[in-house]
Short mmCIF file of all heavy atoms in Angstrom, two decimals:
data_model
loop_
_atom_site.label_atom_id
_atom_site.label_comp_id
_atom_site.label_asym_id
_atom_site.label_seq_id
_atom_site.Cartn_x
_atom_site.Cartn_y
_atom_site.Cartn_z
N TRP H 1526 -36.28 -11.64 24.75
CA TRP H 1526 -35.73 -11.36 26.08
C TRP H 1526 -36.82 -11.42 27.11
O TRP H 1526 -36.54 -11.66 28.32
CB TRP H 1526 -35.05 -9.98 26.09
CG TRP H 1526 -33.75 -10.01 25.34
CD1 TRP H 1526 -33.56 -10.29 24.00
CD2 TRP H 1526 -32.40 -9.84 25.86
NE1 TRP H 1526 -32.23 -10.26 23.66
CE2 TRP H 1526 -31.52 -9.99 24.82
CE3 TRP H 1526 -31.93 -9.55 27.14
CZ2 TRP H 1526 -30.13 -9.88 24.97
CZ3 TRP H 1526 -30.56 -9.45 27.34
CH2 TRP H 1526 -29.67 -9.61 26.21
N ARG H 1531 -35.12 -12.13 30.75
CA ARG H 1531 -33.96 -11.25 31.06
C ARG H 1531 -34.25 -9.81 30.74
O ARG H 1531 -33.43 -8.93 31.12
CB ARG H 1531 -32.74 -11.69 30.21
CG ARG H 1531 -32.00 -12.84 30.76
CD ARG H 1531 -30.51 -12.69 30.46
NE ARG H 1531 -30.17 -12.83 29.04
CZ ARG H 1531 -28.92 -12.78 28.60
NH1 ARG H 1531 -27.94 -12.56 29.47
NH2 ARG H 1531 -28.62 -12.91 27.34
N TYR H 1535 -31.77 -6.07 32.80
CA TYR H 1535 -30.80 -5.06 32.39
C TYR H 1535 -31.48 -3.70 32.26
O TYR H 1535 -32.52 -3.63 31.61
CB TYR H 1535 -30.10 -5.48 31.11
CG TYR H 1535 -29.23 -6.74 31.35
CD1 TYR H 1535 -29.78 -7.98 31.15
CD2 TYR H 1535 -27.94 -6.63 31.83
CE1 TYR H 1535 -29.04 -9.12 31.41
CE2 TYR H 1535 -27.18 -7.78 32.09
CZ TYR H 1535 -27.72 -9.00 31.89
OH TYR H 1535 -26.98 -10.12 32.13
N GLU H 1538 -28.30 -0.13 30.22
CA GLU H 1538 -27.16 -0.70 29.53
C GLU H 1538 -27.59 -1.45 28.27
O GLU H 1538 -26.92 -1.54 27.26
CB GLU H 1538 -26.40 -1.63 30.45
CG GLU H 1538 -25.05 -2.09 29.90
CD GLU H 1538 -24.40 -3.16 30.77
OE1 GLU H 1538 -24.94 -3.55 31.80
OE2 GLU H 1538 -23.34 -3.67 30.34
N LEU H 1539 -28.81 -2.04 28.35
CA LEU H 1539 -29.35 -2.75 27.17
C LEU H 1539 -30.07 -1.73 26.29
O LEU H 1539 -31.09 -1.15 26.69
CB LEU H 1539 -30.33 -3.82 27.65
CG LEU H 1539 -31.03 -4.64 26.56
CD1 LEU H 1539 -29.99 -5.38 25.68
CD2 LEU H 1539 -32.01 -5.64 27.18
N ALA H 1554 -26.66 -7.16 22.99
CA ALA H 1554 -25.53 -7.08 23.94
C ALA H 1554 -24.89 -8.42 24.03
O ALA H 1554 -23.72 -8.54 24.42
CB ALA H 1554 -26.08 -6.65 25.30
N THR H 1555 -25.65 -9.46 23.70
CA THR H 1555 -25.17 -10.83 23.68
C THR H 1555 -26.27 -11.63 23.00
O THR H 1555 -27.30 -11.07 22.68
CB THR H 1555 -24.92 -11.34 25.13
OG1 THR H 1555 -24.41 -12.65 25.05
CG2 THR H 1555 -26.17 -11.32 25.94
N GLU H 1557 -27.53 -15.13 23.60
CA GLU H 1557 -28.07 -16.40 24.08
C GLU H 1557 -29.48 -16.63 23.58
O GLU H 1557 -29.79 -17.74 23.09
CB GLU H 1557 -28.07 -16.44 25.64
CG GLU H 1557 -26.76 -16.77 26.29
CD GLU H 1557 -25.87 -15.55 26.37
OE1 GLU H 1557 -26.26 -14.47 25.91
OE2 GLU H 1557 -24.72 -15.70 26.84
N ARG H 1586 -23.52 -2.31 24.27
CA ARG H 1586 -23.80 -2.23 25.68
C ARG H 1586 -23.58 -0.77 26.10
O ARG H 1586 -22.47 -0.27 25.96
CB ARG H 1586 -22.85 -3.15 26.50
CG ARG H 1586 -23.12 -4.62 26.23
CD ARG H 1586 -22.19 -5.53 27.00
NE ARG H 1586 -22.41 -6.93 26.62
CZ ARG H 1586 -21.72 -7.95 27.10
NH1 ARG H 1586 -20.69 -7.73 27.94
NH2 ARG H 1586 -21.96 -9.20 26.73
N TYR H 1607 -21.61 -20.65 21.14
CA TYR H 1607 -22.62 -21.32 22.03
C TYR H 1607 -22.58 -22.80 21.70
O TYR H 1607 -22.63 -23.16 20.54
CB TYR H 1607 -23.98 -20.74 21.76
CG TYR H 1607 -24.05 -19.23 21.92
CD1 TYR H 1607 -23.70 -18.37 20.86
CD2 TYR H 1607 -24.32 -18.65 23.16
CE1 TYR H 1607 -23.65 -17.01 21.03
CE2 TYR H 1607 -24.28 -17.26 23.33
CZ TYR H 1607 -23.95 -16.45 22.24
OH TYR H 1607 -23.90 -15.09 22.40
N PHE H 1858 -18.14 -20.02 29.84
CA PHE H 1858 -19.09 -20.38 30.86
C PHE H 1858 -19.73 -21.73 30.60
O PHE H 1858 -20.00 -22.05 29.41
CB PHE H 1858 -20.31 -19.42 30.82
CG PHE H 1858 -20.01 -18.00 31.12
CD1 PHE H 1858 -19.49 -17.16 30.11
CD2 PHE H 1858 -20.28 -17.45 32.36
CE1 PHE H 1858 -19.25 -15.84 30.37
CE2 PHE H 1858 -20.02 -16.10 32.60
CZ PHE H 1858 -19.52 -15.29 31.61
N GLY H 1888 -17.01 -16.20 25.13
CA GLY H 1888 -16.84 -14.90 24.47
C GLY H 1888 -15.41 -14.44 24.41
O GLY H 1888 -14.60 -14.78 25.28
C1 LIG S 1485 -26.99 -7.49 28.54
C2 LIG S 1485 -26.12 -6.40 28.78
C3 LIG S 1485 -24.88 -6.59 29.25
C4 LIG S 1485 -24.42 -7.91 29.50
C5 LIG S 1485 -25.27 -9.01 29.25
C6 LIG S 1485 -26.57 -8.77 28.77
C7 LIG S 1485 -22.71 -9.38 30.17
C8 LIG S 1485 -24.78 -10.35 29.51
C9 LIG S 1485 -22.97 -11.80 30.18
C10 LIG S 1485 -22.61 -12.44 28.88
C11 LIG S 1485 -22.33 -13.89 28.96
C12 LIG S 1485 -21.76 -14.47 27.72
C13 LIG S 1485 -22.07 -14.93 25.36
C14 LIG S 1485 -20.61 -14.68 25.08
C15 LIG S 1485 -19.78 -14.77 26.33
C16 LIG S 1485 -20.34 -13.98 27.45
N1 LIG S 1485 -23.15 -8.14 29.98
N2 LIG S 1485 -23.50 -10.48 29.98
O1 LIG S 1485 -25.48 -11.36 29.29
F1 LIG S 1485 -28.21 -7.27 28.06
CL1 LIG S 1485 -26.70 -4.81 28.46
O2 LIG S 1485 -22.59 -11.80 27.88
N3 LIG S 1485 -22.56 -14.17 26.53
#
Side-chain angles (χ1 to χ4, degrees):
W1526 287 64
R1531 278 214 293 180
Y1535 294 90
E1538 190 188 356
L1539 178 60
T1555 182
E1557 279 81 1
R1586 293 179 183 176
Y1607 305 86
F1858 297 80

